[in-house]
Amino acid sequence: MYTVRKGYRAITYHNWRHGFNVGHTMFCLLQTGKLRKYYSDLDAFAMVAAAFCHDIDHRGTNNLYQTKSASPLAKLHGSSIMERHHLEYSKTLMGEESLNIFCNLQKRQFETVQHLFDVCIIATDLALYFKKRTMFQNIVNATEPMADEKEAIAYISNNPIRKEIIMAMMMTGCDLSAITKPWEVQSKVALMVAAEFWEQGDLERSVLDQQPIPMMDRNCAEQLPKMQCGFIDFVCSFVYKEFSRFHKEIQPMFDGLNNNRAHWNELAEVYNAKMKAIEDEKKKLEEEEAKKAGGDVGKSKTCTIC
């Protein structure tokens, strides 16, 4: 664990604090969320370990930046660039005999662990999350009417594909879980995320000579509440809504998400009111200028000699 912690860089958000929070949330989903019943002991162990490692050696910039800057990682990995780097870093640690916590496993078991690391860490690429949402929803829809718990367990645990889809969604739920925390925590974490994005935006200006998108632009900082509402609606809401349907024990995460959205929406409305006031004042000045210009046109330009 100490070595994994050292593997995380001292950056603004994707640091060891985030890595630890994701690992802790995975443990909570398995235990408190009652998702553990679909997985073997080895599966659960690998899932928690992968969650702790999922962002190891993150550089504070996303996959798109790696591609735009033609970084060595972008040349090494064709897709899911950072996720594949985190995965390879984790496997390198497992290759060290003194660090490999799975060293006493049989060969087949160790291969299973490595496969589950692949599934879990690559799943944190949000581009893949959107592709798997419908498959997850289909599993939830299928198990919801099952009155017999054993039937639902068999439906999932006996099907490797369904197990891995749920596993991937759990990783997304863990990775984004700061959005479900109490407002006092969530509001601070959101500023850390935004600060790291702004740092990338600064690099895009200075290194790539490009204008960053609003999310990465510190000049758009006042729009953060509005962008958070959009992020919740477009990305986060689905996974926690479906998990709360899947297991009622996960409902508190969905409730926390909705509570935070209400807070962000309040702040967004303050910003919108401020912008409306500015627009109204601008419009008023333009109308006054137009009236003044119209009055000047009506006046005679002829000089009068007394």
Side-chain angles (χ1 to χ4, degrees), residues 174-233:
C174 294
D175 202 14
L176 303 177
S177 62
I179 203 77
T180 70
K181 300 292 177 68
W183 172 248
E184 295 75 17
V185 176
Q186 208 295 292
S187 56
K188 293 177 182 177
V189 173
L191 290 176
M192 293 179 199
V193 177
E196 189 171 281
F197 284 167
W198 296 335
E199 289 164 8
Q200 176 174 319
D202 294 342
L203 288 174
E204 290 177 2
R205 279 199 183 89
S206 60
V207 177
L208 304 181
D209 195 26
Q210 295 180 359
Q211 174 62 32
I213 60 174
M215 183 174 69
M216 303 286 184
D217 189 351
R218 64 175 67 252
N219 296 324
C220 299
E222 286 189 320
Q223 297 180 36
L224 178 61
K226 179 182 176 182
M227 289 189 280
Q228 283 293 103
C229 288
F231 178 64
I232 289 171
D233 294 343

Side-chain angles (χ1 to χ4, degrees), residues 88-107:
E88 292 305 316
Y89 196 113
S90 301
K91 287 184 175 179
T92 299
L93 293 183
M94 282 192 277
E96 293 280 341
E97 187 175 351
S98 62
L99 300 174
N100 185 10
I101 57 176
F102 304 105
C103 62
N104 291 323
L105 298 179
Q106 296 176 359
K107 181 181 178 182

Side-chain angles (χ1 to χ4, degrees), residues 24-25 37 63 90-91 93 97 112 117 121 128 140 151 167 169 190 198 200 206 232 239 250 262 278 282 287 298:
H24 175 255
T25 305
K37 61 188 176 185
N63 288 337
S90 301
K91 287 184 175 179
L93 293 183
E97 187 175 351
T112 298
F117 263 66
I121 294 180
L128 302 180
V140 176
E151 182 184 2
M167 193 181 298
M169 287 294 137
W198 296 335
Q200 176 174 319
S206 60
I232 289 171
V239 68
I250 305 177
I278 292 173
K282 181 180 177 182
E287 289 174 351

Side-chain angles (χ1 to χ4, degrees), residues 288-299:
E288 289 177 356
E289 288 292 327
K291 287 180 181 179
K292 184 178 179 182
D296 291 342
V297 170
K299 291 180 180 180

Side-chain angles (χ1 to χ4, degrees), residues 37-302:
K37 61 188 176 185
Y38 305 117
Y39 299 100
S40 68
D41 290 345
L42 185 62
D43 293 340
F45 188 18
M47 290 162 70
V48 172
F52 280 119
C53 293
H54 85 285
D55 266 337
I56 196 167
D57 198 40
H58 201 290
R59 283 89 193 281
T61 51
N62 62 17
N63 288 337
L64 185 57
Y65 183 83
Q66 303 303 319
T67 301
K68 286 182 176 180
S69 63
S71 71
L73 290 179
K75 296 173 182 177
L76 186 62
H77 306 297
S79 62
S80 302
I81 297 167
M82 290 307 304
E83 290 76 19
R84 294 189 185 282
H85 174 61
H86 306 319
L87 175 61
E88 292 305 316
Y89 196 113
S90 301
K91 287 184 175 179
T92 299
L93 293 183
M94 282 192 277
E96 293 280 341
E97 187 175 351
S98 62
L99 300 174
N100 185 10
I101 57 176
F102 304 105
C103 62
N104 291 323
L105 298 179
Q106 296 176 359
K107 181 181 178 182
R108 183 67 62 85
Q109 290 176 316
F110 186 64
E111 289 172 352
T112 298
V113 167
Q114 289 196 311
H115 172 68
L116 295 180
F117 263 66
D118 288 1
V119 172
C120 289
I121 294 180
I122 300 301
T124 58
D125 184 349
L126 286 178
L128 302 180
Y129 156 68
F130 288 107
K131 295 178 181 179
K132 293 181 179 179
R133 296 205 309 185
T134 301
M135 292 184 282
F136 178 53
Q137 193 170 49
N138 290 339
I139 294 172
V140 176
N141 290 339
T143 56
E144 196 171 29
M146 294 180 183
D148 185 1
E149 183 183 28
K150 291 182 179 179
E151 182 184 2
I153 293 174
Y155 177 77
I156 294 169
S157 60
N158 293 335
N159 187 299
I161 294 176
R162 293 180 189 131
K163 285 173 64 178
E164 289 183 8
I165 289 170
I166 293 171
M167 193 181 298
M169 287 294 137
M170 289 172 70
M171 283 299 298
T172 300
C174 294
D175 202 14
L176 303 177
S177 62
I179 203 77
T180 70
K181 300 292 177 68
W183 172 248
E184 295 75 17
V185 176
Q186 208 295 292
S187 56
K188 293 177 182 177
V189 173
L191 290 176
M192 293 179 199
V193 177
E196 189 171 281
F197 284 167
W198 296 335
E199 289 164 8
Q200 176 174 319
D202 294 342
L203 288 174
E204 290 177 2
R205 279 199 183 89
S206 60
V207 177
L208 304 181
D209 195 26
Q210 295 180 359
Q211 174 62 32
I213 60 174
M215 183 174 69
M216 303 286 184
D217 189 351
R218 64 175 67 252
N219 296 324
C220 299
E222 286 189 320
Q223 297 180 36
L224 178 61
K226 179 182 176 182
M227 289 189 280
Q228 283 293 103
C229 288
F231 178 64
I232 289 171
D233 294 343
F234 183 62
V235 179
C236 305
S237 185
F238 173 88
V239 68
Y240 299 110
K241 179 181 179 181
E242 292 305 310
F243 264 124
S244 67
R245 285 178 57 214
F246 187 44
H247 275 221
K248 66 181 185 301
E249 292 85 359
I250 305 177
Q251 181 68 38
M253 295 185 81
F254 188 43
D255 293 341
L257 174 82
N258 290 327
N259 180 61
N260 288 328
R261 196 208 182 279
H263 280 292
W264 285 119
N265 191 55
E266 288 175 8
L267 295 176
E269 288 178 352
V270 171
Y271 171 76
N272 290 337
K274 177 182 176 182
M275 296 305 297
K276 186 177 184 303
I278 292 173
E279 286 297 320
D280 290 346
E281 184 63 23
K282 181 180 177 182
K283 186 177 180 181
K284 181 179 177 182
L285 291 173
E286 288 174 349
E287 289 174 351
E288 289 177 356
E289 288 292 327
K291 287 180 181 179
K292 184 178 179 182
D296 291 342
V297 170
K299 291 180 180 180
S300 173
K301 302 295 182 181
T302 307

